[in-house]
Amino acid sequence: MPSKLNINGRKVDVHSDPETPLLWVLRCELKMTGTKFGCGVGVCGACTVHVGKVATPSCQQTIKTVGNNPITTIEGLQGPQANALREAWTRIDVVQCGYCQSAQLMAASALIQGNPTPSLKDIDCAMHGIICRCGTYPRIRQAILEATGQLKRT
Ligand code: FES
Ligand code: FES
């Protein structure tokens, strides 16, 4: 019997074993490859999605543990905060190789949804679990600050 997941606002039947990590369901069964595989053991953050409103490493959740909680992936990330972040990301040219960047956007959007005026300390605290091997951290910080500044003005 398939399990039902709530992904990006849609109910989706999945046939993977209930103990399968969400990351593999997204990438292998559903072909949603915007969520990246880095370490598979919860230390790099590349696989970050939202479960509910919380930025969560999808390699550390199974179909069973996620249950009915709404899941948002980079493919479904939308709304004013996401748009402001994407615009700032582009304007500042944050991305280098790009591998970590969907996770960075997922973590940043979870942060500013809960805290519209984060300090540098808040940003570092929220983002520290997402490793960027290209070292784009200063531009990520700047983009988050610019996005929140723009949201405040609108
Ligand atoms: S792949 Fe999930 S934390 Fe690294
Ligand atoms: S942009 Fe290359 S790993 Fe972050």
Side-chain angles (χ1 to χ4, degrees):
M1 184 149 120
S3 308
K4 283 215 183 302
L5 289 178
N6 179 354
I7 303 180
N8 296 335
R10 286 190 313 125
K11 300 269 186 219
V12 180
D13 284 341
V14 295
H15 299 273
S16 303
D17 184 278
E19 299 292 345
T20 307
L22 175 61
L23 173 61
W24 297 124
V25 177
L26 294 171
R27 289 185 58 84
C28 300
E29 183 172 342
L30 301 175
K31 311 297 181 204
M32 297 169 72
T33 55
T35 304
K36 301 302 184 198
F37 168 56
C39 64
V41 293
V43 297
C44 77
C47 63
T48 299
V49 298
H50 296 177
V51 177
K53 295 186 172 170
V54 181
T56 305
S58 59
C59 71
Q60 298 301 296
Q61 298 285 321
T62 64
I63 297 176
K64 203 158 86 180
T65 56
V66 166
N68 291 324
N69 290 305
I71 298 157
T72 307
T73 70
I74 192 70
E75 291 89 348
L77 187 66
Q78 57 187 339
Q81 289 96 347
N83 293 341
L85 287 168
R86 284 194 177 100
E87 280 166 25
W89 242 248
T90 305
R91 196 168 50 247
I92 293 165
D93 207 7
V94 169
V95 175
Q96 193 162 322
C97 80
Y99 199 81
C100 70
Q101 296 291 324
S102 56
Q104 305 286 3
L105 281 166
M106 296 309 293
S109 64
L111 166 65
I112 69 172
Q113 278 171 35
N115 177 0
T117 54
S119 64
L120 271 180
K121 196 169 163 203
D122 296 334
I123 293 172
D124 288 346
C125 185
M127 304 299 292
H128 84 279
I130 321 289
I131 292 171
C132 176
R133 276 166 279 200
C134 301
T136 62
Y137 305 113
R139 296 198 295 277
I140 289 170
R141 280 191 206 106
Q142 187 190 345
I144 294 171
L145 288 173
E146 285 201 15
T148 52
Q150 189 206 315
L151 285 162
K152 231 183 324 182
R153 291 191 293 276
T154 54

